[in-house]
Amino acid sequence: MTRLSSYFSLIKFKVSEQWCWYFLLAILFVPTFTDYGKLVVNFYRVWICIPVLICIRWKDFNPFMKDRFVQLFLLLTAWFALSLLWSDSDKINNMAAKMLATLALLFLIFNISRYQLERFRKLDYYYVLAALILLSAVYYKWGVIDTRLPDVIFGVFDNRNPIAWFSSSAAIISFFHVLHARNRIHLLLFSISFLLLASATLSLSSRGALLGLLAGMIIVAFSKVDSLKSFFVYFSISLIAFLTVITVIELYYSDYFSSLIERADSHRFEIYANAITRITESPSTLFFGHGIAASPRNMVGETVINNWHSIYINATFYGGIIALVLLLVCLLKRPYEIIIKKSKISSWDAVVLGMMVTLQFDGHRIYEYPGGLLFVLTIPMFVANILASSNKKLNMKTKENV
């Protein structure tokens, strides 16, 4: 019995302190290498989330629960978990599992920040590489990276929008490193990455992803501003970079911008009108929502729409105004610290702020298995907050030792 206990303690140590980094890399890269979506989901649930949950130690759990962002996200998750009680759906167990898996991911990221901090600080490099691999895999499979891609495109990336979000997010990170380059090789590699990723985003014609990319680039430019002169310099660089990519796309696709205009609002206003009708059915649905596992299915003409195409409207539909407020608190914690407390902005902060713009017009739940929202919002939000918290603690320790 003692030997078994010692063996289990060793496994806990390995998972929590040594393997945690490789687990997160697997979450990033496995979905970009295989187009077998079911395999990716089962890998995530069985080989990542379950070991992390089983191997939780009190020495990690206690500081985890004391982290302010963790507390906020747990409050949001607790509210959505409570909403399972009034969800009229046959997917209650599935949603509960997704929420538990998301918490396992948050705990995994927290452990990496404690035991693998130097590697954790370079996670954005791997994120960019994962996005480039995904685009390469999609191109290898279909021969194109544009609006001609069919559904389902590649495993858990079921349509071109999640791929556009991912390429947009990675482009923002690349642009961040272009402006914060440490040497010429660093500058060259991230410049090439930015051009490839931004071109892919434009080619996929996801207008939400384009807005998010532009917003993220502007935020990155502001992160370098320390005077009026520097503002104009970095804003000009951002504008030139964005216009360069647009020019390249227009040369290859002469009808690109006219096609964006022809698509008009893509029935968004009809979808939003349907959502408002459902949300305001009664005071209870307005404040408490329909429940996280409820079906958002609605009709636009003769077309069945399976979500409300806005992460904020979806949150309100599922959890009411209470859920929307809690979600916004989680999302705006870092902007508050950056603006009010003068916290240093990271590449992950720029991604989250950019995706907050993108997902105003698209997106579904933040509790998902690998792909889509998990890659472009949930993981970046977790990393941005946990990394900022870790850096703050490290700086405090450094000051105490001086």
Side-chain angles (χ1 to χ4, degrees):
M1 189 68 179
T2 304
R3 182 177 295 181
L4 183 62
S5 178
S6 299
Y7 181 73
F8 189 50
S9 296
L10 177 63
I11 292 295
K12 282 187 173 185
F13 165 76
K14 292 286 187 181
V15 169
S16 300
E17 299 189 27
Q18 294 183 350
W19 298 344
C20 55
W21 169 249
Y22 301 104
F23 280 8
L24 186 55
L25 289 186
I27 291 172
L28 281 182
F29 285 102
V30 169
T32 69
F33 279 110
T34 176
D35 63 354
Y36 185 21
K38 190 174 181 180
L39 172 66
V40 174
V41 170
N42 287 332
F43 174 82
Y44 178 63
R45 286 190 300 191
V46 177
W47 297 106
I48 302 294
C49 296
I50 291 177
V52 169
L53 291 171
I54 290 175
C55 293
I56 290 176
R57 303 177 301 179
W58 177 251
K59 63 178 289 187
D60 299 321
F61 184 72
N62 190 35
F64 174 75
M65 291 297 295
K66 291 180 179 178
D67 184 270
R68 183 56 57 87
F69 172 75
V70 170
Q71 292 170 351
L72 293 173
F73 191 78
L74 287 177
L75 188 60
L76 172 65
T77 305
W79 175 252
F80 275 132
L82 184 64
S83 77
L84 289 170
L85 296 174
W86 57 83
S87 295
D88 183 17
S89 172
D90 59 352
K91 297 182 179 180
I92 290 176
N93 292 335
N94 181 265
M95 274 312 307
K98 286 183 177 182
M99 287 191 285
L100 190 61
T102 305
L103 293 180
L105 174 61
L106 179 57
F107 188 74
L108 174 68
I109 290 172
F110 182 82
N111 270 358
I112 295 170
S113 73
R114 294 192 73 198
Y115 301 111
Q116 307 268 351
L117 183 56
E118 289 307 312
R119 284 176 167 176
F120 189 50
R121 286 174 170 166
K122 296 178 181 178
L123 180 64
D124 51 359
Y125 295 5
Y126 295 92
Y127 187 90
V128 170
L129 180 60
L132 290 170
I133 291 173
L134 174 64
L135 291 173
S136 300
V138 171
Y139 186 80
Y140 178 79
K141 181 179 179 180
W142 298 108
V144 293
I145 298 287
D146 58 27
T147 55
R148 289 172 291 173
L149 288 171
D151 296 341
V152 172
I153 295 176
F154 195 83
V156 294
F157 298 93
D158 55 351
N159 62 70
R160 62 187 171 84
N161 281 329
I163 295 177
W165 304 341
F166 198 3
S167 61
S168 174
S169 299
I172 292 170
I173 289 177
S174 296
F175 188 69
F176 181 93
H177 285 292
V178 167
L179 296 191
H180 293 79
R182 297 194 303 269
N183 52 59
R184 290 182 180 179
I185 295 177
H186 197 257
L187 175 63
L188 177 63
L189 290 175
F190 279 106
S191 295
I192 293 171
S193 297
F194 170 76
L195 289 173
L196 290 173
L197 292 162
S199 297
T201 305
L202 283 158
S203 298
L204 290 164
S205 295
S206 171
R207 289 171 293 187
L210 291 175
L211 287 173
L213 174 58
L214 183 58
M217 289 174 65
I218 292 172
I219 289 159
V220 170
F222 269 109
S223 74
K224 290 289 289 182
V225 169
D226 54 16
S227 66
L228 186 61
K229 180 181 178 180
S230 65
F231 166 74
F232 283 113
V233 169
Y234 289 112
F235 182 78
S236 298
I237 292 172
S238 303
L239 192 59
I240 290 169
F242 194 74
L243 291 175
T244 299
V245 175
I246 286 177
T247 302
V248 171
I249 291 297
E250 184 64 12
L251 288 174
Y252 284 95
Y253 305 100
S254 58
D255 60 344
Y256 179 79
F257 293 104
S258 60
S259 68
L260 288 181
I261 295 170
E262 287 172 5
R263 283 158 56 196
D265 68 339
S266 298
H267 304 290
R268 287 295 191 275
F269 290 108
E270 292 177 68
I271 296 169
Y272 297 158
N274 290 342
I276 291 170
T277 300
R278 294 286 304 277
I279 290 168
T280 58
E281 283 178 0
S282 67
S284 65
T285 56
L286 177 61
F287 287 98
F288 306 120
H290 291 264
I292 187 67
S295 173
R297 180 169 295 188
N298 65 103
M299 298 291 295
V300 174
E302 297 181 355
T303 304
V304 177
I305 307 296
N306 288 315
N307 72 78
W308 304 114
H309 289 280
S310 168
I311 191 172
Y312 309 110
I313 292 177
N314 274 295
T316 310
F317 171 78
Y318 291 122
I321 291 176
I322 295 174
L324 177 62
V325 170
L326 291 173
L327 174 62
L328 289 174
V329 168
C330 290
L331 290 170
L332 295 174
K333 179 181 179 293
R334 280 297 296 149
Y336 169 79
E337 292 172 349
I338 292 166
I339 296 169
I340 304 301
K341 297 185 177 182
K342 308 300 180 184
S343 176
K344 187 177 180 181
I345 192 170
S346 72
S347 58
W348 297 103
D349 293 317
V351 169
V352 174
L353 291 167
M355 288 303 103
M356 284 178 66
V357 175
T358 294
L359 298 173
Q360 182 176 345
F361 309 103
D362 220 327
H364 197 191
R365 300 182 183 94
I366 60 172
Y367 303 99
E368 293 293 347
Y369 292 129
L373 271 170
L374 189 80
F375 277 98
V376 303
L377 184 67
T378 310
I379 288 178
M381 178 173 62
F382 287 177
V383 175
N385 282 277
I386 299 300
L387 183 59
S389 178
S390 297
N391 288 335
K392 183 178 178 181
K393 291 175 184 176
L394 187 62
N395 290 336
M396 289 175 65
K397 288 181 179 179
T398 303
K399 289 178 181 179
E400 289 174 359
N401 294 331
V402 174

